[in-house]
Amino acid sequence: MPRVRITRRLHFSAAHRLARPEWSDARNSRVFGDCANANWHGHNYDLEVTVSGPVNAETGYVMDLKDLKNLVNRRVVDDLDHRNLNLDVSWLEGVIPSTENLVVRMWERIAPLIPPPAKLDRLVLWETPRHFVEYSGE
């Protein structure tokens, strides 16, 4: 049976601040630039979720894309959309909410729930139209 990749793109908007609390404002500004703004800043994120697996002979699907959308919304997007990533998201507590850290935490929340024999293959998180982070697990 051939292995096929399917991808669903989802969207959310969120605010965050990149800063280490033990550092001075000056040091945070040097390291994180505008992203260390004490009054936060926001992004309109796009998340591409790719699942791979064999094509089911009965359905013709690797996984129903509607089910994938619902799973990702429930485990990730609903928690993040129109939220402050530093203050409002319990599963990001104590984490600098960089795009890199965010995509790893998303993987941890999504991967275990993909129904076998399919598996989570890749996440691509677009922070801006010119900046994205890609993660394929450990």
Side-chain angles (χ1 to χ4, degrees):
M1 191 57 86
R3 273 192 95 71
V4 175
R5 289 182 187 88
I6 61 168
T7 301
R8 178 71 190 207
R9 181 177 284 195
L10 298 101
H11 178 82
F12 64 94
S13 299
H16 69 161
R17 178 179 187 229
L18 303 185
R20 296 195 61 87
E22 68 273 16
W23 289 359
S24 68
D25 286 342
R27 184 173 181 193
N28 276 310
S29 289
R30 274 194 314 276
V31 173
F32 298 112
D34 290 341
C35 294
N37 184 331
N39 292 317
W40 317 98
H41 70 283
H43 297 284
N44 295 309
Y45 294 91
D46 283 309
L47 174 63
E48 297 174 12
V49 181
T50 300
V51 172
S52 65
V55 176
N56 181 293
E58 281 185 12
T59 65
Y61 292 162
V62 169
M63 178 180 179
D64 187 322
L65 283 169
K66 178 179 55 107
D67 293 343
L68 180 59
K69 177 188 80 166
N70 290 340
L71 183 157
V72 175
N73 278 333
R74 189 176 68 251
R75 294 293 292 164
V76 171
V77 174
D78 292 348
D79 288 348
L80 303 177
D81 194 29
H82 289 84
R83 300 289 190 275
N84 182 312
L85 302 180
N86 299 76
L87 303 176
D88 299 332
V89 183
S90 62
W91 48 270
L92 291 174
E93 189 173 324
V95 174
I96 296 174
S98 65
T99 310
E100 294 88 340
N101 282 335
L102 190 53
V103 78
V104 171
R105 292 296 172 106
M106 290 173 167
W107 182 280
E108 293 168 354
R109 295 183 60 75
I110 297 168
L113 300 178
I114 301 297
K119 67 176 185 95
L120 187 57
D121 191 77
R122 182 178 75 142
L123 296 177
V124 179
L125 182 60
W126 291 84
E127 186 177 69
T128 74
R130 295 172 306 281
H131 169 220
F132 68 90
V133 172
E134 185 173 334
Y135 185 64
S136 296
E138 293 287 329

